[in-house]
Amino acid sequence: AGVGLALAAITLAGTRLGFAILDWPSGRIPAHHPTAHLFDRLLPYHHHPYVFWSGIGWGMIVQAPNVVTVMLLGGGLGLDLPFQAYCIAVPCVALITALPISFNGIGVRELLMAEILYLYYDVPKSHGAALGFLWLSVTVATGLVGGLVYLLGPPLDKQPDSWASSLEEEEP
């Protein structure tokens, strides 16, 4: 719990510092300078923090099922790791596997899980790699189920209108 609170405090402090750094040059850069456009794009997040924090919140909501899935897979492998280990390893590994350095993060996920769990929790590298491979297997299996639902569902031109258009029709 202490590590999680420390990471949350560092994130909050880093965010405040980052916004302060963005504020400083905004009035000092000439409008015709190429970086002025960059600051104009980033400053709305400073002036409307709800947008920034809602993005952070949705990111946590999206990552939570991944953390739980990998935690259950780790339990199935007999790994006795604290919940915090998964809360740290899974989002970090997911972030790196999103980089276009391999096809679907294959190999990167397994290597990172093996290294992180070995370095910080003394888990044998073979167990960490197996956990990464099982995580990939679950991801592929759920993607296949979704693909089958899409392929076997009604054709797109036969589907009813979206809920948004039905709301527009109901308004007087």
Side-chain angles (χ1 to χ4, degrees):
V3 172
L5 289 175
L7 286 174
I10 289 169
T11 302
L12 286 172
T15 303
R16 298 299 282 163
L17 179 64
F19 284 147
I21 290 171
L22 283 176
D23 233 2
W24 179 77
S26 65
R28 294 174 175 81
I29 297 175
H32 64 279
H33 197 274
T35 56
H37 181 67
L38 171 69
F39 286 106
D40 289 342
R41 292 285 185 175
L42 293 175
L43 283 177
Y45 296 110
H46 174 62
H47 299 297
H48 303 285
Y50 172 77
V51 174
F52 177 79
W53 289 111
S54 64
I56 297 292
W58 278 109
M60 290 180 169
I61 290 169
V62 167
Q63 284 301 319
N66 282 335
V67 170
V68 171
T69 300
V70 175
M71 185 177 70
L72 293 172
L73 292 170
L77 286 174
L79 300 179
D80 187 27
L81 295 172
F83 179 68
Q84 294 89 347
Y86 296 105
C87 288
I88 293 170
V90 171
C92 291
V93 171
L95 178 67
I96 301 299
T97 58
L99 296 174
I101 54 179
S102 74
F103 178 72
N104 199 23
I106 296 173
V108 176
R109 178 183 299 102
E110 292 76 17
L111 173 71
L112 288 173
M113 288 301 286
E115 291 297 326
I116 289 172
L117 295 180
Y118 174 74
L119 289 173
Y120 295 104
Y121 299 99
D122 205 28
V123 172
K125 290 184 179 183
S126 60
H127 288 64
L131 181 60
F133 182 73
L134 286 173
W135 182 11
L136 171 66
S137 301
V138 168
T139 303
V140 169
T142 55
L144 287 173
V145 169
L148 286 173
V149 168
Y150 174 75
L151 287 175
L152 300 175
L156 292 176
D157 59 345
K158 302 286 186 200
Q159 292 184 356
D161 292 338
S162 72
W163 64 272
S165 62
S166 66
L167 288 177
E168 291 172 0
E169 293 171 1
E170 292 177 9
E171 290 181 11

